[in-house]
PDB file of all heavy atoms in Angstrom:
ATOM      1  N   ASN F  64     104.272 115.577 107.104  1.00  0.00           N
ATOM      2  CA  ASN F  64     105.457 114.892 106.584  1.00  0.00           C
ATOM      3  C   ASN F  64     105.202 113.425 106.272  1.00  0.00           C
ATOM      4  O   ASN F  64     106.131 112.706 105.876  1.00  0.00           O
ATOM      5  CB  ASN F  64     106.615 114.997 107.586  1.00  0.00           C
ATOM      6  CG  ASN F  64     107.124 116.423 107.728  1.00  0.00           C
ATOM      7  OD1 ASN F  64     107.132 117.183 106.759  1.00  0.00           O
ATOM      8  ND2 ASN F  64     107.514 116.803 108.933  1.00  0.00           N
ATOM      9  N   PHE F  65     103.969 112.969 106.452  1.00  0.00           N
ATOM     10  CA  PHE F  65     103.657 111.566 106.156  1.00  0.00           C
ATOM     11  C   PHE F  65     103.893 111.283 104.675  1.00  0.00           C
ATOM     12  O   PHE F  65     103.400 111.997 103.804  1.00  0.00           O
ATOM     13  CB  PHE F  65     102.197 111.265 106.506  1.00  0.00           C
ATOM     14  CG  PHE F  65     101.787 109.846 106.223  1.00  0.00           C
ATOM     15  CD1 PHE F  65     102.046 108.839 107.134  1.00  0.00           C
ATOM     16  CD2 PHE F  65     101.144 109.518 105.026  1.00  0.00           C
ATOM     17  CE1 PHE F  65     101.662 107.521 106.880  1.00  0.00           C
ATOM     18  CE2 PHE F  65     100.760 108.211 104.766  1.00  0.00           C
ATOM     19  CZ  PHE F  65     101.026 107.218 105.694  1.00  0.00           C
ATOM     20  N   SER F  66     104.639 110.245 104.402  1.00  0.00           N
ATOM     21  CA  SER F  66     104.951 109.888 103.016  1.00  0.00           C
ATOM     22  C   SER F  66     104.160 108.661 102.596  1.00  0.00           C
ATOM     23  O   SER F  66     104.167 107.638 103.286  1.00  0.00           O
ATOM     24  CB  SER F  66     106.448 109.611 102.861  1.00  0.00           C
ATOM     25  OG  SER F  66     106.729 109.172 101.538  1.00  0.00           O
ATOM     26  N   ASP F  67     103.469 108.790 101.467  1.00  0.00           N
ATOM     27  CA  ASP F  67     102.709 107.651 100.946  1.00  0.00           C
ATOM     28  C   ASP F  67     103.504 106.869  99.914  1.00  0.00           C
ATOM     29  O   ASP F  67     102.975 105.974  99.248  1.00  0.00           O
ATOM     30  CB  ASP F  67     101.383 108.110 100.339  1.00  0.00           C
ATOM     31  CG  ASP F  67     101.574 109.096  99.181  1.00  0.00           C
ATOM     32  OD1 ASP F  67     102.736 109.345  98.793  1.00  0.00           O
ATOM     33  OD2 ASP F  67     100.558 109.608  98.672  1.00  0.00           O
ATOM     34  N   LYS F  68     104.799 107.192  99.787  1.00  0.00           N
ATOM     35  CA  LYS F  68     105.649 106.481  98.826  1.00  0.00           C
ATOM     36  C   LYS F  68     105.861 105.042  99.270  1.00  0.00           C
ATOM     37  O   LYS F  68     106.041 104.760 100.452  1.00  0.00           O
ATOM     38  CB  LYS F  68     106.986 107.192  98.671  1.00  0.00           C
ATOM     39  CG  LYS F  68     106.888 108.546  97.982  1.00  0.00           C
ATOM     40  CD  LYS F  68     108.258 109.192  97.832  1.00  0.00           C
ATOM     41  CE  LYS F  68     108.145 110.541  97.137  1.00  0.00           C
ATOM     42  NZ  LYS F  68     109.476 111.203  97.003  1.00  0.00           N
ATOM     43  N   ASN F  69     105.848 104.143  98.296  1.00  0.00           N
ATOM     44  CA  ASN F  69     105.986 102.721  98.582  1.00  0.00           C
ATOM     45  C   ASN F  69     106.934 102.110  97.553  1.00  0.00           C
ATOM     46  O   ASN F  69     106.608 102.030  96.367  1.00  0.00           O
ATOM     47  CB  ASN F  69     104.606 102.056  98.532  1.00  0.00           C
ATOM     48  CG  ASN F  69     104.667 100.555  98.698  1.00  0.00           C
ATOM     49  OD1 ASN F  69     105.683 100.006  99.121  1.00  0.00           O
ATOM     50  ND2 ASN F  69     103.591  99.888  98.355  1.00  0.00           N
ATOM     51  N   LEU F  70     108.089 101.679  98.010  1.00  0.00           N
ATOM     52  CA  LEU F  70     109.090 101.120  97.102  1.00  0.00           C
ATOM     53  C   LEU F  70     108.681  99.769  96.529  1.00  0.00           C
ATOM     54  O   LEU F  70     109.258  99.310  95.548  1.00  0.00           O
ATOM     55  CB  LEU F  70     110.428 100.970  97.835  1.00  0.00           C
ATOM     56  CG  LEU F  70     111.077 102.270  98.319  1.00  0.00           C
ATOM     57  CD1 LEU F  70     112.337 101.955  99.122  1.00  0.00           C
ATOM     58  CD2 LEU F  70     111.407 103.175  97.143  1.00  0.00           C
ATOM     59  N   MET F  71     107.677  99.150  97.126  1.00  0.00           N
ATOM     60  CA  MET F  71     107.268  97.806  96.690  1.00  0.00           C
ATOM     61  C   MET F  71     105.954  97.789  95.921  1.00  0.00           C
ATOM     62  O   MET F  71     105.426  96.723  95.615  1.00  0.00           O
ATOM     63  CB  MET F  71     107.182  96.885  97.904  1.00  0.00           C
ATOM     64  CG  MET F  71     108.533  96.658  98.563  1.00  0.00           C
ATOM     65  SD  MET F  71     108.457  95.533  99.967  1.00  0.00           S
ATOM     66  CE  MET F  71     107.559  96.504 101.153  1.00  0.00           C
ATOM     67  N   GLY F  72     105.418  98.949  95.609  1.00  0.00           N
ATOM     68  CA  GLY F  72     104.164  98.963  94.871  1.00  0.00           C
ATOM     69  C   GLY F  72     103.606 100.358  94.710  1.00  0.00           C
ATOM     70  O   GLY F  72     104.332 101.351  94.750  1.00  0.00           O
ATOM     71  N   GLU F  73     102.276 100.422  94.546  1.00  0.00           N
ATOM     72  CA  GLU F  73     101.612 101.708  94.401  1.00  0.00           C
ATOM     73  C   GLU F  73     101.709 102.488  95.699  1.00  0.00           C
ATOM     74  O   GLU F  73     102.007 101.943  96.759  1.00  0.00           O
ATOM     75  CB  GLU F  73     100.138 101.491  94.039  1.00  0.00           C
ATOM     76  CG  GLU F  73      99.909 100.837  92.691  1.00  0.00           C
ATOM     77  CD  GLU F  73      98.422 100.711  92.395  1.00  0.00           C
ATOM     78  OE1 GLU F  73      97.729 101.742  92.413  1.00  0.00           O
ATOM     79  OE2 GLU F  73      97.956  99.581  92.168  1.00  0.00           O
ATOM     80  N   GLN F  74     101.422 103.780  95.629  1.00  0.00           N
ATOM     81  CA  GLN F  74     101.466 104.609  96.826  1.00  0.00           C
ATOM     82  C   GLN F  74     100.444 104.113  97.844  1.00  0.00           C
ATOM     83  O   GLN F  74      99.418 103.517  97.499  1.00  0.00           O
ATOM     84  CB  GLN F  74     101.189 106.065  96.471  1.00  0.00           C
ATOM     85  CG  GLN F  74      99.781 106.332  95.949  1.00  0.00           C
ATOM     86  CD  GLN F  74      99.617 107.767  95.492  1.00  0.00           C
ATOM     87  OE1 GLN F  74     100.443 108.301  94.778  1.00  0.00           O
ATOM     88  NE2 GLN F  74      98.538 108.411  95.914  1.00  0.00           N
ATOM     89  N   ILE F  75     100.732 104.359  99.109  1.00  0.00           N
ATOM     90  CA  ILE F  75      99.836 103.942 100.186  1.00  0.00           C
ATOM     91  C   ILE F  75      98.546 104.747 100.084  1.00  0.00           C
ATOM     92  O   ILE F  75      98.561 105.975 100.065  1.00  0.00           O
ATOM     93  CB  ILE F  75     100.512 104.174 101.544  1.00  0.00           C
ATOM     94  CG1 ILE F  75     101.805 103.362 101.635  1.00  0.00           C
ATOM     95  CG2 ILE F  75      99.576 103.806 102.688  1.00  0.00           C
ATOM     96  CD1 ILE F  75     102.664 103.726 102.812  1.00  0.00           C
ATOM     97  N   ASP F  76      97.437 104.054 100.005  1.00  0.00           N
ATOM     98  CA  ASP F  76      96.156 104.742  99.805  1.00  0.00           C
ATOM     99  C   ASP F  76      95.022 103.776 100.142  1.00  0.00           C
ATOM    100  O   ASP F  76      95.229 102.579 100.331  1.00  0.00           O
ATOM    101  CB  ASP F  76      96.032 105.209  98.349  1.00  0.00           C
ATOM    102  CG  ASP F  76      95.002 106.327  98.179  1.00  0.00           C
ATOM    103  OD1 ASP F  76      94.285 106.640  99.156  1.00  0.00           O
ATOM    104  OD2 ASP F  76      94.911 106.875  97.066  1.00  0.00           O
ATOM    105  N   PHE F  77      93.806 104.327 100.176  1.00  0.00           N
ATOM    106  CA  PHE F  77      92.628 103.498 100.386  1.00  0.00           C
ATOM    107  C   PHE F  77      92.264 102.766  99.102  1.00  0.00           C
ATOM    108  O   PHE F  77      92.337 103.342  98.016  1.00  0.00           O
ATOM    109  CB  PHE F  77      91.436 104.343 100.834  1.00  0.00           C
ATOM    110  CG  PHE F  77      91.595 104.964 102.193  1.00  0.00           C
ATOM    111  CD1 PHE F  77      91.811 106.330 102.325  1.00  0.00           C
ATOM    112  CD2 PHE F  77      91.546 104.196 103.335  1.00  0.00           C
ATOM    113  CE1 PHE F  77      91.964 106.908 103.567  1.00  0.00           C
ATOM    114  CE2 PHE F  77      91.702 104.757 104.591  1.00  0.00           C
ATOM    115  CZ  PHE F  77      91.908 106.112 104.707  1.00  0.00           C
ATOM    116  N   LYS F  78      91.864 101.537  99.249  1.00  0.00           N
ATOM    117  CA  LYS F  78      91.261 100.805  98.137  1.00  0.00           C
ATOM    118  C   LYS F  78      89.766 101.053  98.146  1.00  0.00           C
ATOM    119  O   LYS F  78      89.133 101.247  97.114  1.00  0.00           O
ATOM    120  CB  LYS F  78      91.535  99.303  98.287  1.00  0.00           C
ATOM    121  CG  LYS F  78      91.033  98.422  97.141  1.00  0.00           C
ATOM    122  CD  LYS F  78      91.294  96.959  97.436  1.00  0.00           C
ATOM    123  CE  LYS F  78      90.847  96.075  96.286  1.00  0.00           C
ATOM    124  NZ  LYS F  78      91.817  96.107  95.156  1.00  0.00           N
ATOM    125  N   ASP F  79      89.192 101.080  99.367  1.00  0.00           N
ATOM    126  CA  ASP F  79      87.770 101.352  99.563  1.00  0.00           C
ATOM    127  C   ASP F  79      87.596 101.819 101.008  1.00  0.00           C
ATOM    128  O   ASP F  79      87.406 101.007 101.910  1.00  0.00           O
ATOM    129  CB  ASP F  79      86.948 100.088  99.297  1.00  0.00           C
ATOM    130  CG  ASP F  79      85.446 100.322  99.375  1.00  0.00           C
ATOM    131  OD1 ASP F  79      85.041 101.405  99.839  1.00  0.00           O
ATOM    132  OD2 ASP F  79      84.683  99.428  98.987  1.00  0.00           O
ATOM    133  N   ALA F  80      87.686 103.121 101.224  1.00  0.00           N
ATOM    134  CA  ALA F  80      87.660 103.666 102.585  1.00  0.00           C
ATOM    135  C   ALA F  80      86.359 103.340 103.307  1.00  0.00           C
ATOM    136  O   ALA F  80      86.352 103.087 104.511  1.00  0.00           O
ATOM    137  CB  ALA F  80      87.868 105.182 102.537  1.00  0.00           C
ATOM    138  N   LYS F  81      85.262 103.340 102.582  1.00  0.00           N
ATOM    139  CA  LYS F  81      83.956 103.062 103.190  1.00  0.00           C
ATOM    140  C   LYS F  81      83.902 101.658 103.771  1.00  0.00           C
ATOM    141  O   LYS F  81      83.279 101.425 104.810  1.00  0.00           O
ATOM    142  CB  LYS F  81      82.859 103.236 102.131  1.00  0.00           C
ATOM    143  CG  LYS F  81      81.449 103.034 102.648  1.00  0.00           C
ATOM    144  CD  LYS F  81      80.436 103.277 101.551  1.00  0.00           C
ATOM    145  CE  LYS F  81      79.017 103.061 102.037  1.00  0.00           C
ATOM    146  NZ  LYS F  81      78.022 103.299 100.957  1.00  0.00           N
ATOM    147  N   ASN F  82      84.580 100.721 103.112  1.00  0.00           N
ATOM    148  CA  ASN F  82      84.565  99.326 103.557  1.00  0.00           C
ATOM    149  C   ASN F  82      85.867  98.906 104.249  1.00  0.00           C
ATOM    150  O   ASN F  82      86.195  97.719 104.291  1.00  0.00           O
ATOM    151  CB  ASN F  82      84.276  98.410 102.370  1.00  0.00           C
ATOM    152  CG  ASN F  82      82.831  98.502 101.922  1.00  0.00           C
ATOM    153  OD1 ASN F  82      81.915  98.221 102.684  1.00  0.00           O
ATOM    154  ND2 ASN F  82      82.617  98.927 100.689  1.00  0.00           N
ATOM    155  N   LEU F  83      86.586  99.893 104.777  1.00  0.00           N
ATOM    156  CA  LEU F  83      87.767  99.640 105.611  1.00  0.00           C
ATOM    157  C   LEU F  83      88.868  98.881 104.875  1.00  0.00           C
ATOM    158  O   LEU F  83      89.512  97.989 105.436  1.00  0.00           O
ATOM    159  CB  LEU F  83      87.357  98.849 106.873  1.00  0.00           C
ATOM    160  CG  LEU F  83      86.320  99.511 107.791  1.00  0.00           C
ATOM    161  CD1 LEU F  83      85.867  98.536 108.871  1.00  0.00           C
ATOM    162  CD2 LEU F  83      86.904 100.767 108.423  1.00  0.00           C
ATOM    163  N   LYS F  84      89.132  99.265 103.633  1.00  0.00           N
ATOM    164  CA  LYS F  84      90.146  98.566 102.848  1.00  0.00           C
ATOM    165  C   LYS F  84      91.239  99.511 102.361  1.00  0.00           C
ATOM    166  O   LYS F  84      90.952 100.578 101.803  1.00  0.00           O
ATOM    167  CB  LYS F  84      89.507  97.875 101.641  1.00  0.00           C
ATOM    168  CG  LYS F  84      88.559  96.737 101.994  1.00  0.00           C
ATOM    169  CD  LYS F  84      87.967  96.109 100.731  1.00  0.00           C
ATOM    170  CE  LYS F  84      86.988  94.995 101.077  1.00  0.00           C
ATOM    171  NZ  LYS F  84      86.418  94.377  99.859  1.00  0.00           N
ATOM    172  N   LEU F  85      92.499  99.102 102.583  1.00  0.00           N
ATOM    173  CA  LEU F  85      93.650  99.781 102.012  1.00  0.00           C
ATOM    174  C   LEU F  85      94.151  98.981 100.820  1.00  0.00           C
ATOM    175  O   LEU F  85      93.885  97.772 100.713  1.00  0.00           O
ATOM    176  CB  LEU F  85      94.781  99.879 103.043  1.00  0.00           C
ATOM    177  CG  LEU F  85      94.482 100.584 104.366  1.00  0.00           C
ATOM    178  CD1 LEU F  85      95.691 100.484 105.294  1.00  0.00           C
ATOM    179  CD2 LEU F  85      94.115 102.032 104.132  1.00  0.00           C
ATOM    180  N   LYS F  86      94.868  99.651  99.928  1.00  0.00           N
ATOM    181  CA  LYS F  86      95.477  98.941  98.803  1.00  0.00           C
ATOM    182  C   LYS F  86      96.484  97.921  99.305  1.00  0.00           C
ATOM    183  O   LYS F  86      97.199  98.161 100.284  1.00  0.00           O
ATOM    184  CB  LYS F  86      96.182  99.923  97.867  1.00  0.00           C
ATOM    185  CG  LYS F  86      95.254 100.809  97.063  1.00  0.00           C
ATOM    186  CD  LYS F  86      96.075 101.717  96.151  1.00  0.00           C
ATOM    187  CE  LYS F  86      95.184 102.614  95.295  1.00  0.00           C
ATOM    188  NZ  LYS F  86      96.000 103.507  94.436  1.00  0.00           N
ATOM    189  N   PHE F  87      96.549  96.791  98.627  1.00  0.00           N
ATOM    190  CA  PHE F  87      97.578  95.798  98.938  1.00  0.00           C
ATOM    191  C   PHE F  87      98.928  96.408  98.611  1.00  0.00           C
ATOM    192  O   PHE F  87      99.146  96.913  97.513  1.00  0.00           O
ATOM    193  CB  PHE F  87      97.338  94.530  98.117  1.00  0.00           C
ATOM    194  CG  PHE F  87      98.141  93.346  98.568  1.00  0.00           C
ATOM    195  CD1 PHE F  87      97.678  92.519  99.580  1.00  0.00           C
ATOM    196  CD2 PHE F  87      99.367  93.057  97.992  1.00  0.00           C
ATOM    197  CE1 PHE F  87      98.417  91.427 100.004  1.00  0.00           C
ATOM    198  CE2 PHE F  87     100.120  91.981  98.407  1.00  0.00           C
ATOM    199  CZ  PHE F  87      99.640  91.154  99.418  1.00  0.00           C
ATOM    200  N   GLY F  88      99.863  96.361  99.567  1.00  0.00           N
ATOM    201  CA  GLY F  88     101.080  97.142  99.455  1.00  0.00           C
ATOM    202  C   GLY F  88     102.156  96.611  98.533  1.00  0.00           C
ATOM    203  O   GLY F  88     103.057  97.354  98.154  1.00  0.00           O
ATOM    204  N   ILE F  89     102.091  95.327  98.151  1.00  0.00           N
ATOM    205  CA  ILE F  89     103.149  94.753  97.318  1.00  0.00           C
ATOM    206  C   ILE F  89     102.587  94.438  95.934  1.00  0.00           C
ATOM    207  O   ILE F  89     101.831  93.483  95.757  1.00  0.00           O
ATOM    208  CB  ILE F  89     103.727  93.473  97.952  1.00  0.00           C
ATOM    209  CG1 ILE F  89     104.333  93.802  99.323  1.00  0.00           C
ATOM    210  CG2 ILE F  89     104.788  92.856  97.049  1.00  0.00           C
ATOM    211  CD1 ILE F  89     104.894  92.606 100.057  1.00  0.00           C
ATOM    212  N   SER F  90     102.941  95.262  94.969  1.00  0.00           N
ATOM    213  CA  SER F  90     102.472  95.029  93.601  1.00  0.00           C
ATOM    214  C   SER F  90     103.638  94.807  92.642  1.00  0.00           C
ATOM    215  O   SER F  90     103.439  94.450  91.486  1.00  0.00           O
ATOM    216  CB  SER F  90     101.630  96.208  93.112  1.00  0.00           C
ATOM    217  OG  SER F  90     102.360  97.419  93.165  1.00  0.00           O
ATOM    218  N   ARG F  91     104.860  95.025  93.133  1.00  0.00           N
ATOM    219  CA  ARG F  91     106.044  94.746  92.325  1.00  0.00           C
ATOM    220  C   ARG F  91     106.657  93.423  92.786  1.00  0.00           C
ATOM    221  O   ARG F  91     106.354  92.924  93.868  1.00  0.00           O
ATOM    222  CB  ARG F  91     107.062  95.871  92.473  1.00  0.00           C
ATOM    223  CG  ARG F  91     106.544  97.197  91.925  1.00  0.00           C
ATOM    224  CD  ARG F  91     107.488  98.337  92.227  1.00  0.00           C
ATOM    225  NE  ARG F  91     106.895  99.619  91.829  1.00  0.00           N
ATOM    226  CZ  ARG F  91     107.278 100.785  92.289  1.00  0.00           C
ATOM    227  NH1 ARG F  91     108.258 100.850  93.170  1.00  0.00           N
ATOM    228  NH2 ARG F  91     106.693 101.894  91.887  1.00  0.00           N
ATOM    229  N   LYS F  92     107.547  92.883  91.969  1.00  0.00           N
ATOM    230  CA  LYS F  92     108.182  91.621  92.310  1.00  0.00           C
ATOM    231  C   LYS F  92     108.919  91.749  93.632  1.00  0.00           C
ATOM    232  O   LYS F  92     109.703  92.662  93.844  1.00  0.00           O
ATOM    233  CB  LYS F  92     109.156  91.203  91.207  1.00  0.00           C
ATOM    234  CG  LYS F  92     109.753  89.817  91.419  1.00  0.00           C
ATOM    235  CD  LYS F  92     110.651  89.433  90.265  1.00  0.00           C
ATOM    236  CE  LYS F  92     111.242  88.043  90.483  1.00  0.00           C
ATOM    237  NZ  LYS F  92     112.135  87.633  89.365  1.00  0.00           N
ATOM    238  N   ALA F  93     108.641  90.818  94.545  1.00  0.00           N
ATOM    239  CA  ALA F  93     109.269  90.861  95.861  1.00  0.00           C
ATOM    240  C   ALA F  93     109.704  89.465  96.267  1.00  0.00           C
ATOM    241  O   ALA F  93     109.150  88.459  95.799  1.00  0.00           O
ATOM    242  CB  ALA F  93     108.287  91.417  96.891  1.00  0.00           C
ATOM    243  N   GLU F  94     110.677  89.412  97.148  1.00  0.00           N
ATOM    244  CA  GLU F  94     111.142  88.131  97.659  1.00  0.00           C
ATOM    245  C   GLU F  94     110.043  87.491  98.498  1.00  0.00           C
ATOM    246  O   GLU F  94     109.223  88.170  99.121  1.00  0.00           O
ATOM    247  CB  GLU F  94     112.397  88.328  98.509  1.00  0.00           C
ATOM    248  CG  GLU F  94     113.590  88.906  97.764  1.00  0.00           C
ATOM    249  CD  GLU F  94     114.150  87.944  96.722  1.00  0.00           C
ATOM    250  OE1 GLU F  94     113.876  86.734  96.814  1.00  0.00           O
ATOM    251  OE2 GLU F  94     114.856  88.417  95.815  1.00  0.00           O
ATOM    252  N   ASP F  95     110.055  86.162  98.532  1.00  0.00           N
ATOM    253  CA  ASP F  95     109.034  85.414  99.255  1.00  0.00           C
ATOM    254  C   ASP F  95     108.980  85.831 100.728  1.00  0.00           C
ATOM    255  O   ASP F  95     107.900  85.996 101.301  1.00  0.00           O
ATOM    256  CB  ASP F  95     109.310  83.912  99.138  1.00  0.00           C
ATOM    257  CG  ASP F  95     108.193  83.072  99.722  1.00  0.00           C
ATOM    258  OD1 ASP F  95     107.110  83.017  99.122  1.00  0.00           O
ATOM    259  OD2 ASP F  95     108.396  82.479 100.805  1.00  0.00           O
ATOM    260  N   TYR F  96     110.132  86.016 101.350  1.00  0.00           N
ATOM    261  CA  TYR F  96     110.161  86.359 102.774  1.00  0.00           C
ATOM    262  C   TYR F  96     109.567  87.736 103.034  1.00  0.00           C
ATOM    263  O   TYR F  96     109.025  88.008 104.109  1.00  0.00           O
ATOM    264  CB  TYR F  96     111.585  86.277 103.338  1.00  0.00           C
ATOM    265  CG  TYR F  96     112.589  87.238 102.756  1.00  0.00           C
ATOM    266  CD1 TYR F  96     112.697  88.544 103.233  1.00  0.00           C
ATOM    267  CD2 TYR F  96     113.447  86.842 101.730  1.00  0.00           C
ATOM    268  CE1 TYR F  96     113.616  89.423 102.695  1.00  0.00           C
ATOM    269  CE2 TYR F  96     114.379  87.718 101.180  1.00  0.00           C
ATOM    270  CZ  TYR F  96     114.460  89.015 101.670  1.00  0.00           C
ATOM    271  OH  TYR F  96     115.378  89.888 101.147  1.00  0.00           O
ATOM    272  N   MET F  97     109.633  88.636 102.035  1.00  0.00           N
ATOM    273  CA  MET F  97     109.042  89.962 102.186  1.00  0.00           C
ATOM    274  C   MET F  97     107.522  89.872 102.220  1.00  0.00           C
ATOM    275  O   MET F  97     106.864  90.526 103.039  1.00  0.00           O
ATOM    276  CB  MET F  97     109.495  90.873 101.049  1.00  0.00           C
ATOM    277  CG  MET F  97     110.998  91.128 101.026  1.00  0.00           C
ATOM    278  SD  MET F  97     111.541  91.996  99.524  1.00  0.00           S
ATOM    279  CE  MET F  97     110.818  93.609  99.784  1.00  0.00           C
TER     280      MET F  97
END
C-alpha cells in the first residue's frame, strides 16, 4: 500500500540508488516555509 505519489513534485523514487540518492521531493512551486 506504499504510495509514491507526491503532491509537490515527481513521484518518490531513487535518483541514484547506487550512490544513496533519492529524487528531490519539491519540483513544483511551493511556499518558502514548505
Side-chain angles (χ1 to χ4, degrees):
N64 292 326
F65 180 83
S66 176
D67 60 5
K68 291 181 180 179
N69 175 15
L70 297 176
M71 295 182 291
E73 295 182 56
Q74 66 185 47
I75 300 169
D76 200 352
F77 293 108
K78 184 183 182 77
D79 185 349
K81 182 178 179 180
N82 288 300
L83 301 172
K84 294 180 182 180
L85 302 176
K86 289 181 179 179
F87 193 86
I89 299 178
S90 58
R91 296 173 187 160
K92 186 177 180 180
E94 298 293 341
D95 187 71
Y96 63 84
M97 297 171 69

